[in-house]
Amino acid sequence: MKNQKILIQLLVILALLGFLACSGYLFYLSFEILVDGKLPDNYREELNSALTYVTSGLTGLVGGIVASGFGVKPPDSGNEVEESSVKTFAYKLQNLGSYSISDNKPNESKEKMGFFYALAYIVVGIGSIALWIILNENAMESISNMATTFFGMLIPIVAQYFNRS
């Protein structure tokens, strides 16, 4: 069971690192590949198709991890005052962070890791939407796929965050 937990933690961290690396590289290529401000017709020949598929998959995977981390219900304390939105948010971040760090770490470490994980996903997702808007028809298809996948994953992430049942 311990080895299974370690494997899951490793996969969760590798998914985020891969997502950040692939996204960053695609963001860089989005401007580097332009010729006179236009996307060349043959840009796909210069682009590794595996990178496109891996980035799309990692965008959905990391979004799913964030959604499932936010989907846990905080324990019922029986005290309405204690169940503030701040404590609920902290608990959900701790749950998300527990996917990537050891259970014997303090809750503050898990909360920080969960915050970083969610923040990284949101920043890259919003960045892909902004890049798609800025470049318009000159945006690579992989950027628009990343933007639409992120936008689509926002629905379950927000829904899971507000899920109290």
Side-chain angles (χ1 to χ4, degrees), residues 62-136:
V62 172
I65 292 169
V66 172
S68 70
F70 281 0
V72 70
K73 179 185 175 195
D76 187 19
S77 67
N79 186 349
E80 295 272 331
V81 176
E82 283 187 27
E83 294 178 7
S84 69
S85 60
V86 172
K87 286 192 177 198
T88 299
F89 185 62
Y91 182 79
K92 290 181 183 256
L93 286 177
Q94 289 169 17
N95 185 59
L96 177 57
S98 71
Y99 290 156
S100 55
I101 60 176
S102 175
D103 284 336
N104 32 341
K105 295 284 184 183
N107 284 342
E108 295 82 29
S109 298
K110 293 177 189 174
E111 187 176 342
K112 286 178 185 176
M113 184 60 181
F115 177 77
F116 174 74
Y117 206 94
L119 181 67
Y121 184 69
I122 291 167
V123 166
V124 171
I126 290 173
S128 65
I129 290 172
L131 195 56
W132 189 23
I133 290 170
I134 291 167
L135 294 177
N136 200 359

